[in-house]
């Protein structure tokens, strides 16, 4: 099972340990594309701060985030699972999983990123600020920048098992499962059960809990149909929109009664 996650806007501070080693990150086929973004982002943020703020789409109050990107090569690196914070990652709570579940997380979780393309939660990265929606002056839109290298790297990472796609819309454009891989992919929406409306904050928390439940249970559904049964066994209320034709993803709706 491969679980595709969005990053978080907020991130924990960089560590005090060894600096980034770009070549040590998972999915080595993305290395050159990562280097291109890293180089331009660091140069942009070391220059005209106002221009960098506009390119990164930061409010005046977040101007201080620009400094992070000037130190990407020298700042201490931490596992990505510690860097990403926020509602989804709080609910997932990787640190409190047992040893076996942590091993499963290291094999199955893949976090998408405007800067790194995608990383595993054990990959050591510094804190940064760069969403997939950014358009760098040289490289252009990052979603488009990642499309070609992702198309080569991600099918291999997906292997022959289930792909559980929990990414937000900003990150889905960087890689869309196609053909046979799409047929064993499932996407998830979280709906307020009484109204059948999509919820926002609770959407992230529920997705984090779903991933945690699967990891803690040692679940290994072979495909979307098995995932539905597994989630129901774990106590989730799931409605299924099976694909109308082969080679398209399954859409699952998880219903919740509380909206926080």
């Amino acid at each position: 099972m491969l679980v595709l996650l969005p990053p978080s806007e907020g991130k924990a501070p960089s560590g005090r340990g060894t600096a980034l080693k770009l070549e040590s990150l998972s999915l080595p086929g993305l290395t050159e594309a990562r280097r291109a973004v890293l180089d331009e982002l660091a140069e942009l943020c070391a220059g005209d701060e106002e221009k960098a703020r506009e390119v990164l789409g930061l409010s005046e109050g977040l101007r201080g985030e620009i400094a992070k990107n000037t130190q990407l090569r020298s700042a201490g690196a931490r596992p990505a699972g510690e860097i990403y914070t926020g509602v989804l990652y709080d609910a997932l709570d990787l640190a409190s999983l047992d040893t076996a579940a942590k091993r499963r997380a290291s094999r199955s979780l893949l976090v998408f990123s405007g800067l790194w393309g995608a990383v595993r939660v054990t990959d050591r990265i510094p804190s940064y600020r760069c969403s997939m929606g950014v358009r760098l002056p040289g490289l252009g839109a990052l979603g488009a920048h990642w499309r070609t290298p992702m198309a080569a790297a991600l099918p291999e990472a997906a292997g022959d098992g289930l792909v559980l796609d929990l990414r937000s819309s900003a990150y889905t454009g960087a890689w869309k499962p196609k053909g046979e891989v799409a047929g064993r992919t499932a996407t998830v929406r979280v709906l307020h059960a009484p109204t059948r409306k999509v919820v926002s904050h609770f959407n992230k928390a529920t997705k984090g809990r779903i991933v945690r439940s699967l990891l803690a249970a040692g679940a290994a559904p072979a495909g979307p149909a098995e995932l539905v049964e597994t989630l129901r066994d774990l106590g989730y209320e799931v409605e299924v929109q099976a694909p109308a034709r082969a080679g398209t993803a399954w859409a699952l709706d998880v219903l919740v009664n509380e909206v926080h």
Side-chain angles (χ1 to χ4, degrees):
M1 177 174 66
L2 183 68
V3 182
L4 310 182
L5 297 174
S8 57
E9 287 295 324
K11 299 173 183 68
S14 294
R16 295 182 176 274
T18 305
L20 171 71
K21 295 180 180 177
L22 201 60
E23 293 76 12
S24 73
L25 299 181
S26 302
L27 306 181
L30 302 180
T31 299
E32 291 309 311
R34 288 168 175 151
R35 181 174 287 110
V37 180
L38 180 65
D39 287 347
E40 184 172 354
L41 182 62
E43 182 179 357
L44 170 71
C45 293
D48 185 335
E49 187 176 278
E50 186 60 30
K51 180 180 179 181
R53 187 177 71 83
E54 292 177 1
V55 169
L56 296 176
L58 300 177
S59 66
E60 182 63 35
L62 292 174
R63 183 183 290 272
E65 293 284 281
I66 296 169
K68 286 183 179 180
N69 295 339
T70 66
Q71 302 168 7
L72 290 170
R73 293 189 180 278
S74 59
R78 298 169 61 182
E82 298 177 12
I83 289 290
Y84 294 114
T85 60
V87 175
L88 187 154
Y89 292 91
D90 286 347
L92 174 54
D93 196 9
L94 286 169
S96 69
L97 290 171
D98 64 31
T99 301
K102 286 178 180 176
R103 283 198 297 267
R104 289 189 282 271
S106 70
R107 294 193 300 266
S108 62
L109 304 189
L110 202 61
V111 184
F112 274 60
S113 162
L115 173 52
W116 314 113
V119 292
R120 298 197 183 275
V121 292
T122 50
D123 284 332
R124 300 183 68 87
I125 59 173
S127 188
Y128 68 96
R129 189 76 180 216
C130 183
S131 71
M132 190 66 80
V134 165
R135 178 183 293 272
L136 291 174
L139 292 175
L142 291 180
H145 170 75
W146 286 113
R147 212 160 287 145
T148 296
M150 287 281 199
L154 266 293
E156 181 179 353
D160 58 3
L162 168 72
V163 177
L164 176 54
D165 190 352
L166 301 179
R167 294 174 295 168
S168 53
S169 58
Y171 291 85
T172 57
W175 181 63
K176 294 183 179 179
K178 295 181 179 179
E180 186 268 337
V181 179
R184 47 187 166 85
T185 296
T187 63
V188 171
R189 292 191 309 173
V190 179
L191 303 181
H192 184 216
T195 64
R196 290 302 196 274
K197 291 183 178 179
V198 176
V199 294
S200 53
H201 175 93
F202 205 61
N203 167 62
K204 296 177 182 178
T206 301
K207 288 180 177 179
R209 291 184 188 119
I210 286 172
V211 177
R212 181 180 178 85
S213 297
L214 292 169
L215 294 172
E226 293 87 348
L227 173 65
V228 172
E229 294 307 312
T230 299
L231 290 177
R232 287 173 175 165
D233 289 344
L234 290 170
Y236 293 94
E237 185 178 355
V238 183
E239 294 182 348
V240 185
Q241 299 175 40
R245 62 184 186 279
T248 55
W250 290 49
L252 310 184
D253 289 338
V254 174
L255 306 180
V256 297
N257 288 305
E258 298 179 47
V259 181
H260 298 299

